[in-house]
Amino acid sequence: QGKVIYPSVDDDVLSTENKEAPLIGNPTEIARRNFQLLSHDLKTKAGIRLPHGSMGANILLIIYIIISLSLFFIFYRISLEKARRHDIEKGDLISELLEEEKSYREKLEALESERKQIIEQYQQIKFDHIETSRQSSITENEMFEEIVALEERLNENMASQKQKEEEIERLKEELAREEKRTGGSRKRKIFDMTEKRFATIYKNVDVNRKALTGLFELSDEMQIKAEELIHQLNDDPSKVTIKRKVFAGKKNKTASFEVLFSYSGRLYFRNIEGNRIEVLVIGSKNSQDKDMEFLHDLP
């Protein structure tokens, strides 16, 4: 900061007549200030400059490039795996819809064949009717009524065919919408995978679908706390702090227990045969009224 520390002074300068030389000041005063400065913590700043094109700068640039390429490769592999799973799910859904469309097409072809048969029958009946009218005393009005009835039947068949064609178009539109909407099937798969995981990990606890549905409606942090509570029920239920006892079921009034977690979280369970535990409901303070209604409606 522009302060002189330990100046180099020649012996000639330290002579009596030069002690107050303006260029160096008073050495004794400078030494006293230096001692005061050293009595406090000195803050130093160090820096390094890497000239452009030097070996150090090139090595540092190569290291950054390697790190960037590594991160890019990792995210590329993750995205590639997600895309592969998405294509598999999409392919399964499209296969199901194509099979359904094929079934409707077969029905449409059957109706088309039936329509042709009706037309042929109509032509034959019409021809027979004309021939019969020549040989009998059938009046013109009776023949006209029969033709009208056949034409009405033909119109009904054509209307049925049009309805089937519209239904096929509707199925095509549903297929297009389902291709865009894959979130629902993904959520169902996540739900089923969670149900299988709980059944595999927690051998002493049964978690019903109502409880799993309530679990997915909670925040991520509350879901972790709820699963931690299920883990405790599986290992040692005696360590779980029960808030109160409630009764479930319309007839038996089975004793159930309420446990709190994450301040507003609620978990209800009951003991079943074989020293096992059944988790009935998982929810929060906001869903408590509906959860209690579900408990009272249990068989």
Side-chain angles (χ1 to χ4, degrees):
Q1 303 299 325
K3 296 180 180 179
V4 181
I5 299 177
Y6 292 119
S8 176
V9 183
D10 295 335
D11 293 338
D12 295 338
V13 179
L14 290 177
S15 60
T16 303
E17 61 276 6
N18 291 328
K19 283 184 179 182
E20 299 299 331
L23 294 177
I24 62 171
N26 189 337
T28 303
E29 181 61 23
I30 292 175
R32 185 182 65 80
R33 289 201 307 270
N34 292 340
F35 183 77
Q36 290 178 352
L37 291 174
L38 293 175
S39 298
H40 298 82
D41 293 335
L42 292 178
K43 296 181 180 179
T44 60
K45 296 182 180 179
I48 184 172
R49 294 178 60 85
L50 295 177
H52 179 70
S54 64
M55 181 179 294
N58 292 334
I59 292 174
L60 186 61
L61 178 62
I62 291 172
I63 292 173
Y64 283 146
I65 292 174
I66 292 173
I67 293 174
S68 301
L69 291 176
S70 301
L71 293 175
F72 172 77
F73 180 74
I74 292 172
F75 285 106
Y76 172 76
R77 291 298 299 272
I78 293 173
S79 300
L80 188 64
E81 182 64 20
K82 289 182 178 179
R84 186 183 65 82
R85 291 197 300 266
H86 174 73
D87 291 340
I88 293 174
E89 295 174 357
K90 181 179 178 181
D92 295 339
L93 180 60
I94 292 175
S95 299
E96 294 176 0
L97 293 175
L98 287 177
E99 291 178 359
E100 187 175 355
E101 183 182 0
K102 182 179 179 181
S103 175
Y104 280 107
R105 285 186 180 276
E106 292 176 352
K107 293 179 180 179
L108 181 62
E109 291 175 357
L111 289 173
E112 180 67 21
S113 177
E114 183 179 355
R115 186 182 73 87
K116 290 180 180 180
Q117 292 178 0
I118 293 174
I119 292 175
E120 292 176 357
Q121 292 176 2
Y122 167 73
Q123 295 294 337
Q124 183 65 36
I125 292 173
K126 184 177 180 180
F127 177 78
D128 294 341
H129 180 75
I130 294 174
E131 291 295 325
T132 303
S133 65
R134 293 175 183 177
Q135 301 175 3
S136 63
S137 60
I138 299 177
T139 63
E140 183 178 354
N141 292 333
E142 291 175 347
M143 184 178 66
F144 179 78
E145 290 176 358
E146 188 174 354
I147 293 174
V148 169
L150 290 173
E151 289 179 350
E152 289 178 354
R153 186 177 177 185
L154 178 62
N155 292 332
E156 290 177 357
N157 184 68
M158 294 180 67
S160 177
Q161 179 183 357
K162 183 178 180 181
Q163 183 179 2
K164 294 298 181 182
E165 291 176 351
E166 291 176 353
E167 189 172 359
I168 289 176
E169 292 297 327
R170 180 182 60 81
L171 289 174
K172 290 181 179 179
E173 293 177 358
E174 290 182 359
L175 176 61
R177 287 195 298 268
E178 288 295 335
E179 289 178 353
K180 296 180 180 179
R181 185 184 61 193
T182 57
S185 60
R186 186 177 295 109
K187 288 182 180 179
R188 286 194 297 272
K189 288 186 178 182
I190 294 174
F191 186 91
D192 295 338
M193 288 297 298
T194 303
E195 185 177 17
K196 292 179 181 179
R197 181 170 63 85
F198 279 13
T200 303
I201 297 176
Y202 307 117
K203 302 293 185 181
N204 299 323
V205 176
D206 293 338
V207 182
N208 62 24
R209 298 183 71 85
K210 169 66 175 176
L212 284 176
T213 302
L215 178 65
F216 280 107
E217 292 177 356
L218 300 177
S219 63
D220 294 340
E221 182 178 356
M222 294 183 68
Q223 289 184 25
I224 294 173
K225 294 295 184 181
E227 185 168 353
E228 181 182 6
L229 188 57
I230 294 173
H231 180 75
Q232 293 178 357
L233 290 172
N234 182 76
D235 292 346
D236 189 1
S238 61
K239 294 182 179 180
V240 177
T241 303
I242 297 174
K243 179 185 177 183
R244 62 172 177 166
K245 180 189 292 185
V246 296
F247 294 95
K250 294 180 179 179
K251 297 180 180 180
N252 298 327
K253 294 294 182 181
T254 306
S256 302
F257 305 96
E258 181 183 78
V259 182
L260 303 181
F261 64 92
S262 296
Y263 180 70
S264 62
R266 302 287 190 275
L267 185 145
Y268 300 90
F269 72 92
R270 65 182 175 184
N271 297 318
I272 58 178
E273 296 180 358
N275 293 327
R276 295 174 58 80
I277 290 176
E278 181 185 8
V279 177
L280 301 172
V281 181
I282 298 176
S284 63
K285 188 175 181 180
N286 296 330
S287 63
Q288 190 173 15
D289 294 338
K290 294 182 179 180
D291 295 340
M292 294 302 296
E293 291 179 3
F294 174 80
L295 292 176
H296 291 313
D297 291 338
L298 286 173

